Amino acid sequence: MDSYEERLKTFQRKIWSTEGVSYTPESLAICGFYADKRSEALTVKCFLCKKVLEGWDDTDIPIVEHYNHRRTCIIFSPNLIKSRKGLLGDLPTATELAKRNFVKYNIFKNKPFVFCYKCGCQDTNHRCRIKNQTYKFNPDEESDFFFVNLISGRYINMLNDITNSKISIPEAAREALEALIDELEQFDPSKTLEDFIAAYCESKVRMVEEKMEKDLKEMLK
């Protein structure tokens, strides 16, 4: 349940009117909650601190309720290296990433989303634009810190757009794309994209010609 996508799916089995209420499947899932399938009522559990909450009122805001009932959850203290290591989990470079202010908070299943908790940048060598601000968790106010805004649900609409626009790529096409990306990563960065495309096409034509020549020789034996 360590991805927003997985947690969101658990609420598909729960039907309640979201009109006029502050808690929605999206706002629950983004702050760490997933639905307890064993309960008929709306009972949720945090995948990190394991806190269970139920008995929701219309005005209850998930991130606020989470904080009020378990403010020791590591989701609320990414400013601490111990919490960042906890969020990074079993990544081989977790210790080094934690020292650089990085955390992991997945959006999609099996796709690690690792980023600077301050600015949201995924480049481990970046220079963070947030330097002198003091970290403070306040779900009622927009924050300078990317992670606070993320778990508070301020990017929900954008996440939904991304989730709903996911396309299914056939396996054969996916393998071809992965091969293309591998070659692009090894290409001379000083060259242009047009140079890469030309070189890539030329190499593929050469491979076809070599295979045809080999097959022809086999036939003439």
Side-chain angles (χ1 to χ4, degrees), residues 118 128-135 144-145:
K118 293 182 177 182
C128 186
R129 59 181 175 78
I130 299 178
K131 297 180 179 179
N132 301 319
Q133 292 91 327
T134 301
Y135 174 83
D144 291 326
F145 293 84

Side-chain angles (χ1 to χ4, degrees), residues 121-160:
C121 182
Q122 297 180 65
D123 181 2
T124 55
N125 295 315
H126 80 297
R127 290 186 177 182
C128 186
R129 59 181 175 78
I130 299 178
K131 297 180 179 179
N132 301 319
Q133 292 91 327
T134 301
Y135 174 83
K136 179 182 179 182
F137 181 79
N138 186 344
D140 297 323
E141 298 178 0
E142 187 166 351
S143 175
D144 291 326
F145 293 84
F146 174 84
F147 189 55
V148 174
N149 290 327
L150 176 65
I151 64 175
S152 297
R154 295 190 176 92
Y155 305 136
I156 286 293
N157 290 336
M158 181 178 66
L159 289 177
N160 287 342

Side-chain angles (χ1 to χ4, degrees), residues 17-215:
S17 174
T18 57
E19 185 176 352
V21 301
S22 299
Y23 57 93
T24 63
E26 292 83 4
S27 62
L28 288 161
I30 197 60
C31 71
F33 289 128
Y34 62 92
D36 184 350
K37 63 182 180 181
R38 298 169 298 179
S39 173
E40 293 185 5
L42 180 59
T43 302
V44 301
K45 186 175 184 178
C46 174
F47 81 102
L48 288 167
C49 67
K50 312 305 180 186
K51 179 63 180 178
V52 175
L53 292 179
E54 56 187 352
W56 293 83
D57 294 328
D58 289 353
T59 56
D60 286 344
I61 300 173
I63 189 67
V64 175
E65 294 303 309
H66 193 173
Y67 182 70
N68 288 341
H69 288 87
R70 186 62 63 83
R71 60 184 60 195
T72 56
C73 181
I74 59 175
I75 199 175
F76 300 118
S77 54
N79 56 314
L80 303 179
I81 191 168
K82 181 179 179 180
S83 296
R84 294 197 294 273
K85 288 178 69 175
L87 288 165
L88 288 162
D90 58 359
L91 288 180
T93 56
T95 299
E96 182 60 30
L97 287 170
K99 291 178 181 178
R100 297 185 182 187
N101 292 323
F102 277 74
V103 297
K104 176 169 71 73
Y105 203 70
N106 296 347
I107 302 302
F108 299 115
K109 182 180 180 180
N110 298 327
K111 292 186 178 180
F113 181 32
V114 179
F115 54 91
C116 171
Y117 86 92
K118 293 182 177 182
C119 67
C121 182
Q122 297 180 65
D123 181 2
T124 55
N125 295 315
H126 80 297
R127 290 186 177 182
C128 186
R129 59 181 175 78
I130 299 178
K131 297 180 179 179
N132 301 319
Q133 292 91 327
T134 301
Y135 174 83
K136 179 182 179 182
F137 181 79
N138 186 344
D140 297 323
E141 298 178 0
E142 187 166 351
S143 175
D144 291 326
F145 293 84
F146 174 84
F147 189 55
V148 174
N149 290 327
L150 176 65
I151 64 175
S152 297
R154 295 190 176 92
Y155 305 136
I156 286 293
N157 290 336
M158 181 178 66
L159 289 177
N160 287 342
D161 289 342
I162 295 172
T163 303
N164 294 333
S165 65
K166 287 177 67 181
I167 57 175
S168 177
I169 302 176
E171 188 63 31
R174 184 181 295 110
E175 291 176 358
L177 283 172
E178 289 175 351
L180 182 63
I181 291 171
D182 287 341
E183 292 204 27
L184 181 58
E185 289 177 344
Q186 299 172 25
F187 193 68
D188 185 350
S190 65
K191 302 291 185 179
T192 65
L193 181 60
E194 288 78 6
D195 292 333
F196 166 73
I197 294 173
Y200 181 78
C201 292
E202 183 180 343
S203 69
K204 293 305 175 185
V205 170
R206 188 163 54 250
M207 287 174 59
V208 172
E209 290 176 341
E210 290 174 353
K211 187 177 186 307
M212 290 176 63
E213 184 178 353
K214 181 179 179 181
D215 291 344

